[in-house]
Amino acid sequence: MQKIPPSGQPEEAVSADVSWHDAQMPFCERYQDFYYSREDGRAETQEVFLGGNGLPERWGGEACFTIAELGFGTGLNFLQTWHAWRRSRTPQGQLSFVSFEAHPMSSEDMDRALAAWPALSGLAAKLLSAWPRVREGGAVAGIDPQTNLHVIMGEAARTVGAWSGRADAWYLDGFAPAQNPDMWSPDLMRAVFAHTSPGGTFSTYTAAGWVRRNLEEAGFCVERVPGFGRKRHRLQGRRP
């Protein structure tokens, strides 16, 4: 486990192409998909990504815990994780949150998207203050003394394999597999597995059969569980 994950050389980011539906729902024009559940994005994050990885219970006994994510998007997953971490961490605990993002949002779009959750506004303000520095260089940002955020810019097919860290938990949150198949490819799932600590976990909102096969062939033990909202199922699993 890494307290501050090392980075490779940052690559120039290609900005997100965001439009807005129903006034406040961010939609990615590039991949023709919403950034989070139209029912309740924050509740989805809590149930799918934290709950699916057994958090916050799992980080309670760890001195250092690393979460990695495919797709930083609006930053909602990070904020909800940080919110839970601040409420349950030990005095000596350290959290590293590493996200791989090819098309970062502008600060203005991120601010508009996160405004939907006033309870997170204080944390969102701190993220937005750091975002220009993170976005330009993929630099580690010490968001607070016990929390490090590292957004690695570039296509995940390249950057995950180049990362020298390992995650205790993965949030697989790329856009829908039908719209963005490269984010769920066999090669990338193998790279995710290789960068997962023994006993480490993943969780995702999708239950697509070919995604499940890619995860299983990479080496994960995969289970299908009830999905969030109107989704019937989703996937979660563990590296043996």
Side-chain angles (χ1 to χ4, degrees):
M1 292 175 290
Q2 303 287 327
K3 180 176 176 181
I4 301 177
S7 65
Q9 292 297 315
E11 75 178 42
E12 185 176 354
V14 179
S15 296
D17 185 5
V18 182
S19 62
W20 298 88
H21 291 226
D22 302 324
Q24 291 299 324
M25 277 296 299
F27 182 83
C28 180
E29 293 291 341
R30 184 185 301 271
Y31 296 112
Q32 291 294 293
D33 195 14
F34 288 97
Y35 276 86
Y36 45 69
S37 170
R38 300 182 73 178
E39 295 169 86
D40 187 334
R42 186 182 177 192
E44 178 188 39
T45 291
Q46 183 63 41
E47 180 176 321
V48 173
F49 296 112
L50 278 87
N53 282 290
L55 305 174
E57 293 80 9
R58 284 180 58 216
W59 63 44
E62 300 289 343
C64 301
F65 197 88
T66 298
I67 296 171
E69 173 188 53
L70 296 185
F72 190 74
T74 65
L76 176 59
N77 290 344
F78 168 69
L79 287 187
Q80 183 62 18
T81 302
W82 189 20
H83 175 76
W85 169 246
R86 283 163 54 96
R87 293 167 63 91
S88 61
R89 65 194 179 188
T90 63
Q92 293 77 34
Q94 290 287 329
L95 175 68
S96 289
F97 192 101
V98 183
S99 189
F100 298 87
E101 175 60 62
H103 307 294
M105 272 190 166
S106 67
S107 296
E108 293 76 17
D109 284 336
M110 187 178 289
D111 188 15
R112 182 173 175 180
L114 295 174
W117 295 283
L120 298 176
S121 61
L123 300 183
K126 293 179 180 181
L127 171 61
L128 287 162
S129 176
W131 185 240
R133 175 164 54 97
V134 176
R135 190 178 187 274
E136 288 176 10
V140 171
I143 294 290
D144 71 31
Q146 290 182 256
T147 312
N148 287 293
L149 169 65
H150 187 193
V151 182
I152 299 175
M153 301 297 177
E155 296 292 340
R158 183 190 65 80
T159 55
V160 173
W163 180 45
S164 61
R166 280 190 173 189
D168 301 294
W170 278 91
Y171 297 174
L172 304 184
D173 196 24
F175 290 110
Q179 303 299 107
N180 187 19
D182 289 348
M183 202 65 149
W184 310 90
S185 70
D187 286 347
L188 183 51
M189 295 304 97
R190 284 193 290 268
V192 166
F193 181 84
H195 292 273
T196 303
S197 299
T201 59
F202 77 86
S203 188
T204 182
Y205 63 86
T206 187
W210 64 273
V211 171
R212 178 172 185 164
R213 289 190 294 274
N214 289 348
L215 287 161
E216 289 175 335
E217 290 171 4
F220 286 106
C221 298
V222 182
E223 61 177 330
R224 190 174 68 167
V225 298
F228 175 80
R230 289 175 288 183
K231 290 184 179 292
R232 292 182 61 191
H233 301 104
R234 62 177 182 83
L235 301 175
Q236 62 187 39
R238 178 179 298 273
R239 174 172 177 160

